Structure formats: C-alpha cells, structure tokens
Amino acid sequence: MEQTLSDFQIFAKPVGSTCNLSCRYCYYLGKRDLYPHTSHFIMTDDILEKYIIQHIEASTENIIAFSWHGGEPLLAGIDFYRKVLRLQSAHKPAGRTIVNGIQTNGTLINEEWCRFIAQEGFIIGISIDGPAEFHNIYRRTKDDSKTWHQVDSGYQLLKRHGVTPEILCVVNAENVKHPLVIYDFLKQRGPKYITFLPLVVPDSDSLTGVSTDSVPSEAFGHFLSDVFDVWIENDIGKIKIQIFEEAARTAFDQEHTLCIFKINCGRVPVVEHNGDFYSCDHYVNKDYLLGNIMDHSLTYFLESKRQKEFGRAKSVKLPKCCLECEVRSMCNGECPKNRFILTPDGEPDLNYLCKGYKYFFNHCRPFVEAISTEWKNSGLSL
C-alpha cells in the first residue's frame, strides 16, 4: 500500500481553463491550447470519482480539504458539485470531515448557488481588485464589458445567505498606487480573509523585464507596508491578511503554510479536467506534466522523483544574496515563477519582487520580533 501524506493542496480544475471572462492578466486561459482536440471541458464521472478516492487516500488529517479552481469552476454547474458531495460521502472514512473550497470570479452567483453553498458549507473565494474603477480595468467579459456590478451583486447575495467569501485581490500597476483606498474598500465588504496577490508577467522586450500591467516591485512593498500599518492599528484579530499571517508565523518558529514562502515547494499541484497531473498551477505545460491519475495515484505523483526535484529546486537555486538576507525566513525566495532577474552580482534566479518583499518584511520585522519575544518570555507553547 502506498504511503499516505497530508501536506498538500490540489488545485482541481473541473472545467480546465474554461471561463466566462477574459481577464487581461489571466495566466490560465491559454492552457486550453494544451488540449487542441477537446471541445467540451468537463471532468467526467470516472475521473472525478478516481480523483476523489485518491485525494481521500492520500490525506491523513481529520479534515480533508478539496479546492476547486479554474478557469471558472462554477461553469461545471451545481449538479456537478452535488455529484462531488455524493462521491465524497460514499468514500469518506468514518470519523473524518471533508470541506470544499471554490475560487470564483463571482459573476455567476445567483440565489440557487447561494442556497447550495450555504447549505453545504462550501468555502468561497471571490476575486475583487478594488472599487469598480480599478476592478474593471482588467477583469472584463469576453466582449470587453465591465464585471464589477455582477461581482459585487454575487458577493452581497452570498452575504445575505450567511456566507462571507474570502477576497483575493490582484495587485497590479494601477491599484498598487492606492493601497489605503483598496484596503478600505475591501474592508467595507466585511471579509474575514484577504489575500493580496502580486501581478507579475515576464516580458523580455520590456526595459523592466515585465509587462506594463505588472506591479512594480518596490511599489508592492510600499503597498503592503501601508496596509499593514492600518491593519495593526485597527484590524488585527478582525481580518486575516494572508501575507501578514505568514510573516507572523516566523515569530513562533512555525513553518509557512503558503507554498510561495516555504523553503521548498511542490505540494500544490494541479489535476486538470481530464486527470492530467501538473507540478504547479503556474507550470501547467508539457514540461511539467507528470502523467494522469487514471494511470497512477496522487500519492505516486506527489512522491515521485520529478515532483520532489521540482520542489527542491526552489532552495537549491536560491542566490547567495538570498541565503544571506536578513528576512530570508519570511520569504525563502518566494515563488520560482518570479525568479527571473539577476542579483547585483550577476547571479541568476533572483525574484523580481525581491526589493518589494525586502522592504515590507523589514517594515514588519519590529512587530514580528516583539511578539516573538513576548511569546518566548511567556513560556507558553503553541
């Protein structure tokens, strides 16, 4: 019997890259080209059941978490997720709990979806880039229409049904200039969790090495720092902001939970609509296709030599200046997908966001060190 493991999160793609929007910065829409002979992207019943069985078998924690992503995963339809629940119930071991999370653009949320989500306890994340004037810059429909009012309507409808969505905000070249406007606006929506995701799109023809839509590195650091100061003053304990939570983990000598800040990665792979297993959501291409779950199990792929080498490459290729960096434990070089610039000494694999992260992590270090000292002096254990 294969060894089971639990330190992983699968991004399952029930409809592949299919989406009802055409966001200007989306990195996943083009993955459709990997399947040129496929016209109908939907996970079939046999693949879905195989995936659910393997996911449960690979999990050792009492709570087994499923993450449904896209494209736009709501395009699979409510009946698909009813089927998911039936299969999970049929294969769930006694005494274990299963939770489901969906990351959605929010435009398809209606009364029926809200009733289903609320009744079944799904965790919902919605992408919101700020007020309409910022959100609508990049998040557009296929006919280039604005999406803000649909998204806000879906968010508010979920709230009325007792569901508080998490908010994922992509920080780009425009909204990065207005950190407190963005934060105050998101805060007004009453979320318990906010994630700020920096937009980085490499462009070798650009003087900066990235697209004009990408967030400038140092500006991102200032954005986070400005928000952090307001959060510390007013919202700590009320709103969890993912990167702030990750920074605070170092105060208690805890391992990061977010893959981009772990020493090594490789534990957040993708299972596509047809069962194909890819090393990472940002590496869905033929070079990082390890196989199909109809041929081998999730555990087989997660523990495979190729996947482990993919994960270890993050620390192995870390430049010398990162190894010597005072905030290395908070960053660990961040995501390998962003490590495409040279260090001041000409060494490769420096993260494009290095200056920004270094600024922010040094900015929050006094707070982190203070709570670390208080914790150690208290003699309490976590």
Side-chain angles (χ1 to χ4, degrees):
M1 183 175 178
E2 291 179 302
Q3 178 187 5
T4 57
L5 44 109
S6 57
D7 63 330
F8 67 90
Q9 178 185 14
I10 307 293
F11 279 12
K13 310 274 186 171
V15 294
S17 63
T18 306
C19 191
N20 61 320
L21 301 187
S22 186
C23 299
R24 199 162 93 191
Y25 55 53
C26 183
Y27 64 90
Y28 212 81
L29 286 175
K31 305 307 178 184
R32 186 184 188 93
D33 295 340
L34 292 168
Y35 304 98
H37 304 298
T38 302
S39 57
H40 187 55
F41 287 77
I42 184 72
M43 191 173 283
T44 61
D45 291 359
D46 57 337
I47 293 173
L48 176 62
E49 183 165 23
K50 180 73 76 171
Y51 165 61
I52 288 173
I53 291 172
Q54 292 182 7
H55 188 119
I56 291 172
E57 288 178 344
S59 302
T60 58
E61 302 294 338
N62 288 331
I63 296 177
I64 305 170
F66 285 79
S67 299
W68 306 97
H69 285 247
E72 175 45 58
L74 295 193
L75 287 172
I78 290 178
D79 285 343
F80 175 87
Y81 293 101
R82 290 193 178 109
K83 188 190 312 174
V84 165
L85 292 171
R86 289 196 299 270
L87 290 169
Q88 288 174 341
S89 178
H91 296 289
K92 182 179 74 70
R96 309 280 288 284
T97 300
I98 290 178
V99 296
N100 288 280
I102 296 179
Q103 181 63 41
T104 174
N105 60 45
T107 61
L108 300 177
I109 299 291
N110 55 24
E111 287 282 352
E112 186 181 12
W113 270 113
C114 287
R115 287 193 296 270
F116 173 79
I117 289 166
Q119 180 179 340
E120 302 300 341
F122 274 55
I123 298 169
I124 299 296
I126 292 184
S127 298
I128 302 177
D129 290 354
E133 61 267 31
F134 296 107
H135 181 91
N136 286 331
I137 294 173
Y138 300 103
R139 303 193 67 80
R140 315 282 287 201
T141 65
K142 294 187 182 298
D143 64 0
D144 202 33
S145 297
K146 300 174 182 178
T147 64
W148 164 246
H149 289 296
Q150 291 171 276
V151 175
D152 191 49
S153 175
Y155 188 94
Q156 300 301 340
L157 193 58
L158 282 165
K159 289 289 292 286
R160 288 197 289 274
H161 280 263
V163 177
T164 301
E166 301 179 6
I167 293 178
L168 188 151
C169 176
V170 175
V171 184
N172 52 64
E174 296 302 324
N175 61 6
V176 73
K177 303 170 188 174
H178 308 275
L180 300 187
V181 171
I182 299 301
Y183 179 54
D184 185 62
F185 179 82
L186 298 181
K187 186 168 68 171
Q188 288 176 19
R189 320 222 86 58
K192 296 177 182 177
Y193 300 92
I194 298 175
T195 293
F196 291 115
L197 181 67
L199 177 63
V200 180
V201 181
D203 183 355
S204 58
D205 295 327
S206 168
L207 292 176
T208 61
V210 295
S211 71
T212 55
D213 297 335
S214 298
V215 64
S217 177
E218 290 182 86
F220 183 56
H222 287 272
F223 176 98
L224 293 174
S225 299
D226 288 351
V227 173
F228 180 81
D229 290 344
V230 174
W231 177 77
I232 283 290
E233 185 70 26
N234 303 309
D235 303 314
I236 187 170
K238 301 175 185 175
I239 301 174
K240 291 185 181 293
I241 297 180
Q242 190 177 52
I243 188 169
F244 301 167
E245 297 289 318
E246 290 296 321
R249 294 184 71 82
T250 61
F252 309 106
D253 299 322
Q254 294 176 319
E255 184 181 0
H256 288 291
T257 60
L258 189 60
C259 65
I260 62 173
F261 296 133
K262 285 179 176 285
I263 295 174
N264 287 308
C265 58
R267 311 307 283 182
V268 190
V270 163
V271 172
E272 257 286 347
H273 71 287
N274 68 338
D276 282 349
F277 180 104
Y278 292 90
S279 292
C280 171
D281 193 48
H282 291 283
Y283 289 84
V284 176
N285 59 58
K286 62 181 182 180
D287 292 335
Y288 294 93
L289 170 61
L290 272 63
N292 192 284
I293 64 168
M294 299 302 283
D295 301 319
H296 295 286
S297 72
L298 287 178
T299 301
Y300 172 88
F301 290 123
L302 284 163
E303 295 300 290
S304 68
K305 180 180 179 182
R306 284 182 63 190
Q307 187 67 3
K308 287 186 174 182
E309 287 177 347
F310 170 81
R312 282 195 296 266
K314 181 179 179 182
S315 61
V316 170
K317 296 181 178 180
L318 207 61
K320 181 181 178 182
C321 67
C322 293
L323 295 173
E324 299 173 347
C325 180
E326 69 275 13
V327 292
R328 177 190 172 188
S329 64
M330 292 181 172
C331 174
N332 287 309
E334 206 246 5
C335 185
K337 78 177 182 66
N338 295 329
R339 287 161 56 171
F340 53 82
I341 65 173
L342 300 177
T343 70
D345 294 331
E347 194 177 356
D349 290 314
L350 182 65
N351 197 299
Y352 163 78
L353 293 168
C354 176
K355 288 183 178 179
Y357 278 126
K358 195 166 187 176
Y359 180 91
F360 166 66
F361 286 130
N362 273 306
H363 180 83
C364 72
R365 270 179 77 195
F367 169 77
V368 173
E369 290 173 353
I371 60 175
S372 177
T373 299
E374 185 175 342
W375 169 62
K376 289 174 181 176
N377 289 341
S378 72
L380 297 175
S381 58
L382 294 177

